[in-house]
Amino acid sequence: MYRSLMKDLTSWKTRPNRKPLILQGARQVGKTWLALELGRTEFSQVAHVVFLDNEPMKAVFEGSLNPTRLLAAIAAETSTRAGDSDVLIVLDEVQECPRALTALKLFCEQRPDTPIIAAGSLLGVALHNGVSFPVGKVEHLDVYPMTFYEYLRATDTTLADLLDASDLTLVDAYSERFTDALRSYYYVGGMPEAVAAYAETGDYAETRKTQNRLLYDYEHDFSKHATPILAERIREVWKSAPSQLARENKKFVYTAVRPGARARNFEEAISWLVDAGLLCRVNRVSKPGLPLDGYRDLNAFKLYFLDVGLLGAASGLDLKTIVSGSALFEEFKGALTEQFVCQQFVATGELVPCYWSAENSTGEVDFLYDYGGRVVPVEVKAETNLKGKSLSSFAKKYGIDRSLRLSLAGFRDQGWVVNVPLYATNLLPGVFEAISAD
């Protein structure tokens, strides 16, 4: 299975000033697979320690964190030469052993030659619970569900090769095939297990079973890692997220979670879901200034799922939509398409999406991001209809000379706006640079 992060992991392995690496992300996005695949392809052995239900190894880390002592225990546990420079140590489910995170500081200082990766979910939650974190002594990589490009690598390498050429006119020639593949991705999503199930069987029903099990496991985590009151509020926010995205105005509304609900009752629940990587919070900005972060309105935001396939599963999206032409792209008033775009943005690791809406009118720009010293407004269209006044009005008001539209229409450069097919989002964030180079 192709994952673009393997390039980052290989680069980490060869750096002379390498620090211990933390892979973090939601459950089942592929953290363990990435670490073990790096070990398989780039190292002679992998010392894989899984802390889940491993009380002996947890006890080891409760004692002295001297690296020599820990390496001896890891070597015995895994029957490897842990400590040698050609043996990758993988500390898995590290959220179950917070002291293992603390130990990374000593590995960095005393044994920088030891390649070590810690992988875990719910790390964002754990770090808010008093865990001593090795600030400045570790490196990070965030792992997200598979992008559409990675999905194509697993299901249709010919289309992936076309995207590699970065030739949008060539991509346009295969628009029907790309659209069919995109429709499939909307349903399957990017969770590696769901993608593998579909790639191996071509059976959407099996894919949905995998998605439903993942949703069940996530809800189980609510009760396992939060107090009963907080767990119930987390569950309420989680359950309300699909219906909130289905609204015309997708801004998160607390009273849609529970009648009479207030922000103070659910802020912690929202933060928990965001920290766990299960939801993505996209804030409103008051104006397209640089940096965008300085213009965020923290009281107005939208919540997107971590994965478009899981959004469809949580919403009960019927399998019939796969074969009903373009209807799938219009489901939930285009929410699936916005979810797809947000997911691709976040997975770049470079783009932090936000949105803009007018104070006293209905004008709205679906997404904005800043990159290369410019603010890029993005309009998302679920199909090929490119009509709409909000983007052009926004661009004129704020003097923005280049905007972006993502739709099912072909590539089109109109000067002030560039239309890029939804299935070519892998060209982001540097789409304008790519066009200029041509």
Side-chain angles (χ1 to χ4, degrees):
M1 186 175 288
Y2 171 85
R3 297 303 304 266
S4 60
L5 281 181
M6 283 303 298
K7 298 174 184 176
D8 299 274
L9 290 173
T10 302
S11 174
W12 168 80
K13 185 241 181 184
T14 58
R15 279 202 294 275
N17 57 346
R18 177 187 63 208
K19 298 178 182 179
L21 177 65
I22 295 178
L23 293 180
Q24 58 189 41
R27 285 185 61 180
Q28 300 298 313
V29 293
K31 301 180 296 295
T32 300
W33 183 90
L34 281 162
L36 296 182
E37 183 68 4
L38 178 71
R40 185 186 70 82
T41 57
E42 299 289 337
F43 292 85
S44 64
Q45 287 184 314
V46 181
H48 186 199
V49 176
V50 183
F51 286 110
L52 186 65
D53 297 326
N54 191 339
E55 297 307 319
M57 285 306 294
K58 290 181 186 178
V60 167
F61 279 83
E62 285 303 316
S64 168
L65 296 181
N66 178 278
T68 301
R69 173 181 176 271
L70 295 179
L71 287 171
I74 293 170
E77 169 77 5
T78 61
S79 300
T80 64
R81 304 185 313 276
D84 288 1
S85 60
D86 65 339
V87 178
L88 176 65
I89 297 174
V90 178
L91 304 180
D92 207 353
E93 301 288 357
V94 72
Q95 76 278 358
E96 300 290 334
C97 184
R99 289 268 294 173
L101 283 174
T102 305
L104 297 181
K105 176 177 184 293
L106 297 177
F107 274 101
C108 177
E109 294 173 343
Q110 300 177 26
R111 290 299 302 269
D113 59 311
T114 303
I116 183 168
I117 292 178
S121 54
L122 296 170
L123 290 183
V125 174
L127 296 178
H128 287 291
N129 292 331
V131 175
S132 178
F133 191 74
V135 177
K137 303 297 182 178
V138 294
E139 300 179 48
H140 299 264
L141 270 181
D142 291 316
V143 184
Y144 300 103
M146 296 171 69
T147 63
F148 179 59
Y149 175 79
E150 291 172 323
Y151 173 79
L152 289 179
R153 278 279 159 224
T155 59
D156 192 332
T157 56
T158 300
L159 293 182
D161 289 342
L162 286 172
L163 289 178
D164 278 339
S166 299
D167 185 336
L168 286 171
T169 57
L170 181 60
V171 168
D172 281 349
Y174 291 84
S175 61
E176 187 173 346
R177 281 184 60 185
F178 275 112
T179 300
D180 287 344
L182 186 62
R183 184 183 296 113
S184 177
Y185 179 78
Y186 276 24
Y187 192 90
V188 175
M191 301 303 290
E193 189 176 352
V195 174
Y198 177 68
E200 292 168 8
T201 68
D203 189 340
Y204 288 113
E206 286 300 315
T207 300
R208 179 51 54 87
K209 288 179 184 178
T210 299
Q211 293 167 333
N212 286 335
R213 181 178 53 75
L214 288 172
L215 292 172
Y216 175 85
D217 289 345
Y218 289 150
E219 290 199 41
H220 178 73
D221 280 341
F222 302 162
S223 299
K224 182 179 178 182
H225 297 281
T227 64
I229 293 176
L230 177 58
E232 180 57 31
R233 290 175 178 173
I234 292 170
R235 189 171 289 105
E236 288 181 282
V237 172
W238 176 250
K239 292 288 189 182
S240 79
S243 60
Q244 299 236 22
L245 284 174
R247 295 164 54 246
E248 192 72 43
N249 177 3
K250 296 174 178 59
K251 173 187 171 183
F252 186 83
V253 177
Y254 288 97
T255 54
V257 178
R258 182 197 299 171
R262 301 291 183 87
R264 65 174 179 269
N265 301 127
F266 288 95
E267 283 177 339
E268 187 178 2
I270 291 171
S271 294
W272 194 100
L273 287 163
V274 172
D275 289 340
L278 298 180
L279 293 180
C280 175
R281 179 173 177 145
V282 175
N283 282 97
R284 175 185 177 273
V285 292
S286 57
K287 61 178 289 187
L290 285 170
L292 280 173
D293 192 59
Y295 298 90
R296 292 182 186 274
D297 177 357
L298 299 180
N299 296 315
F301 57 91
K302 301 176 184 179
L303 290 178
Y304 291 90
F305 258 51
L306 79 156
D307 177 64
V308 66
L310 290 181
L311 173 60
S315 306
L317 185 69
D318 196 286
L319 181 58
K320 291 185 295 185
T321 56
I322 289 292
V323 294
S324 61
S326 60
L328 178 64
F329 299 110
E330 290 289 356
E331 284 291 332
F332 314 122
K333 297 182 174 64
L336 287 176
T337 303
E338 283 195 30
Q339 168 67 47
F340 165 78
V341 171
C342 181
Q343 187 174 334
Q344 307 310 298
F345 281 177
V346 170
T348 67
E350 299 180 81
L351 302 183
V352 180
C354 54
Y355 77 98
W356 173 87
S357 61
E359 293 282 359
N360 301 307
S361 70
T362 58
E364 181 173 312
V365 174
D366 298 311
F367 294 106
L368 296 91
Y369 65 83
D370 52 28
Y371 181 78
R374 71 159 79 214
V375 172
V376 181
V378 182
E379 182 179 59
V380 177
K381 292 291 187 180
E383 292 192 88
T384 57
N385 178 10
L386 305 184
K387 294 181 180 179
K389 296 181 179 179
S390 291
L391 183 63
S392 59
S393 299
F394 178 84
K396 290 176 182 177
K397 178 178 180 179
Y398 290 104
I400 295 176
D401 61 347
R402 295 283 265 175
S403 299
L404 191 63
R405 182 190 293 119
L406 298 173
S407 75
L408 286 181
F411 168 69
R412 187 181 308 173
D413 188 348
Q414 297 175 243
W416 74 274
V417 62
V418 176
N419 188 82
V420 174
L422 284 161
Y423 39 78
T425 54
N426 68 304
L427 294 179
L428 303 175
V431 63
F432 297 126
E433 290 81 354
I435 293 170
S436 299
D438 291 340

